[in-house]
Amino acid sequence: MHGIVFDTNILHQEGLSSRSMLLLLRLVEASHLEIFVPELVKKEFTSRKLHEAKENLKKSYDQLTLVTKKNSHDSEFQELIRKTQDSIKVAESKIEEQISKGFDFWETQYQVTILGFDSDTITQVMDDYFSGTGVYRKPKSRDDIPDAMINTTIMQLLTKKKELSVVLKDGAFKKHLQTIEGISTYDSLAEFLETGEVKSKLDELDASSEKAEQIKGFLNGEEFSDRLLQYLKHDYKEVEDIYLEDSEILAKEKLEVDSFGERVEDVNAHNIRDISIQNAAWFSDGDYSLEVSFTTEAGLYYCASYSEYLYLDEDTYRYVSLDSMNGDGLCDLSESMKLRFMGLVTVSVTDDLELEAVKAHSKYLGSPENPISLKLDIQTAEIL
């Protein structure tokens, strides 16, 4: 059985329920793949998730405090805000347990083997630390100690498995692993899934279900694309709930100013056009995933200096709104812009539906009690 190891940054990039993860699950269930996660990677991942969750809850709590200070002296309204803040505090007290449970569930479902760190290898970790060899970028680089510990865990596993795939982004760590016989490295799960042996196995699993192959073909076609477009336009809540920020927004240089704090929201569902779907994938239990993209207008909010705002206001044909400005001349700006949104659509089909029934029910996507349901997950938006 083929073995794959994740580094921490890949778990953060993918999450525990991405399209690529679900495809891995099919390989695990087919006894084609075994997943290994070093104990230190697990701790780094869960601790960072905890930190991010607590930071977001704190921001929400503080923003609610600001709302009451600036907008209302009504005692009933303030009491409502106070109760909401109390709920946030309760959530904060339980968030660590929830993150731990989420990881434990994934670990069990994916039959993950957690690799403990062997304390006997600490001598090698410290020898490399002082010499700057192995995964270390230079002698006495403390930031590289966790990678050195993870590396020894992978090396011990390699003696048992003989061949391993390691998915990671770290430059120095990756360069080191590429020198080790028996190890193949990948930048992403998507890259790993496109390798010949793995892709062939997924195709083989798909071919074992003639119905799934037929439904995939329909979902990849123009007929379903047209029906999905009408669904997104008229059952528009999922589109209007899209919220993206920072690295999820692409081609920011087209703003033509030195901006920061970018976010996209207020997406216009009714104006969706140029929809494209491709690469239908089948998961177990009647779930299919499609890569989707479309263009429409949305609100783009960002920060820039007042001089940058003057440039946009005077030297471009864009309508840019100056929403606020602080004493240092930093402005909150917004404008409606055309963007291309890219992500995934999960199509869930009741198991007993054959192809012709799927085609028939797809005419009424979003209708009550339809045995076909959709979930939209937009991951990036490109400024056009």
Side-chain angles (χ1 to χ4, degrees):
M1 195 162 31
H2 192 79
I4 185 171
V5 183
F6 298 152
D7 194 18
T8 313
N9 45 31
I10 295 300
L11 286 180
H12 283 299
Q13 175 181 295
E14 290 289 342
L16 302 180
S17 59
S18 68
R19 171 188 167 105
S20 294
M21 278 292 185
L22 291 171
L23 288 172
L24 285 185
L25 181 58
R26 295 189 65 202
L27 296 169
V28 169
E29 291 175 337
S31 299
H32 182 73
L33 186 70
E34 188 174 6
I35 298 174
F36 298 91
V37 174
E39 178 72 30
L40 188 57
V41 168
K42 176 180 177 178
K43 289 180 179 178
E44 285 180 334
F45 175 75
T46 53
S47 62
R48 179 173 163 186
K49 293 285 286 186
L50 178 61
H51 174 74
E52 290 174 349
K54 286 189 172 183
E55 282 291 304
N56 288 331
L57 287 170
K58 184 178 184 302
K59 286 178 184 176
S60 298
Y61 187 96
D62 292 343
Q63 287 297 316
L64 287 171
T65 300
L66 195 60
V67 167
T68 57
K69 285 182 177 179
K70 290 191 172 183
N71 295 289
S72 177
H73 297 288
D74 182 278
S75 59
E76 184 177 344
F77 178 77
Q78 289 185 337
E79 178 64 14
L80 177 63
I81 295 295
R82 187 190 65 77
K83 288 181 178 179
T84 304
Q85 288 179 309
D86 288 343
S87 297
I88 291 174
K89 286 294 184 183
V90 172
E92 185 177 2
S93 69
K94 296 182 177 181
I95 191 63
E96 184 172 3
E97 179 186 359
Q98 293 303 306
I99 289 173
S100 179
K101 282 183 177 179
F103 191 94
D104 290 345
F105 176 80
W106 174 79
E107 183 182 321
T108 300
Q109 183 184 27
Y110 283 70
Q111 303 170 40
V112 177
T113 300
I114 302 298
L115 303 171
F117 174 70
D118 185 352
S119 58
D120 290 342
T121 64
I122 193 65
T123 301
Q124 181 64 52
V125 170
M126 297 313 296
D127 285 347
D128 289 348
Y129 168 75
F130 287 110
S131 64
T133 54
V135 306
Y136 291 92
R137 288 165 289 185
K138 59 182 180 180
K140 300 184 181 181
S141 177
R142 295 183 181 181
D143 290 344
D144 294 329
I145 291 177
D147 283 346
M149 296 172 69
I150 293 168
N151 177 63
T152 61
T153 303
I154 293 174
M155 292 303 104
Q156 287 186 319
L157 177 62
L158 184 62
T159 62
K160 300 174 184 177
K161 297 293 292 184
K162 305 305 178 185
E163 289 187 357
L164 285 173
S165 294
V166 183
V167 191
L168 76 170
K169 285 193 173 295
D170 187 282
F173 193 1
K174 185 176 181 180
K175 286 180 181 178
H176 168 71
L177 290 177
Q178 288 172 337
T179 67
I180 308 298
E181 184 177 355
I183 290 183
S184 301
T185 62
Y186 302 91
D187 285 330
S188 67
L189 287 184
E191 182 185 351
F192 170 75
L193 290 167
E194 285 298 316
T195 56
E197 182 185 352
V198 176
K199 194 172 187 306
S200 295
K201 185 61 179 180
L202 288 171
D203 290 342
E204 178 187 323
L205 292 172
D206 285 352
S208 67
S209 172
E210 183 180 351
K211 183 176 77 170
E213 282 291 276
Q214 291 174 342
I215 293 176
K216 276 175 53 181
F218 170 67
L219 296 178
N220 267 330
E222 187 175 341
E223 184 178 355
F224 183 75
S225 177
D226 291 340
R227 292 173 185 178
L228 177 61
L229 175 61
Q230 295 309 311
Y231 166 79
L232 294 176
K233 281 186 172 184
H234 298 293
D235 291 81
Y236 49 81
K237 190 176 188 312
E238 282 197 276
V239 175
E240 292 192 339
D241 285 346
I242 292 171
Y243 178 90
L244 302 169
E245 59 183 15
D246 297 333
S247 61
E248 298 166 330
I249 303 170
L250 310 179
K252 287 183 279 194
E253 68 277 2
K254 292 180 181 177
L255 290 176
E256 300 182 33
V257 295
D258 186 13
S259 64
F260 63 94
E262 301 87 0
R263 71 182 193 277
V264 169
E265 52 187 307
D266 304 325
V267 182
N268 186 337
H270 303 299
N271 251 7
I272 290 177
R273 53 201 177 275
D274 302 327
I275 191 167
S276 171
I277 55 176
Q278 60 183 349
N279 294 335
W282 173 52
F283 307 130
S284 56
D285 302 325
D287 286 341
Y288 299 80
S289 175
L290 301 165
E291 294 178 4
V292 63
S293 68
F294 56 81
T295 60
T296 190
E297 291 75 34
L300 182 61
Y301 300 82
Y302 54 97
C303 299
S305 67
Y306 185 64
S307 61
E308 301 274 28
Y309 164 70
L310 290 178
Y311 160 74
L312 293 173
D313 189 49
E314 297 174 1
D315 296 347
T316 71
Y317 293 99
R318 289 152 49 187
Y319 175 74
V320 181
S321 172
L322 173 58
D323 300 324
S324 67
M325 182 172 65
N326 67 14
D328 296 323
L330 289 177
C331 306
D332 290 316
L333 307 177
S334 62
E335 57 184 305
S336 178
M337 297 198 77
K338 182 179 178 181
L339 301 105
R340 172 161 289 277
F341 293 87
M342 293 159 282
L344 301 171
V345 171
T346 300
V347 182
S348 297
V349 178
T350 303
D351 280 346
D352 58 357
L353 289 188
E354 299 296 331
L355 175 62
E356 292 307 314
V358 171
K359 290 182 178 180
H361 287 294
S362 69
K363 296 177 183 178
Y364 312 103
L365 295 174
S367 62
E369 300 181 5
N370 193 321
I372 300 175
S373 61
L374 303 179
K375 180 182 178 183
L376 181 66
D377 178 21
I378 294 299
Q379 300 165 342
T380 59
E382 179 185 5
I383 300 171
L384 298 177

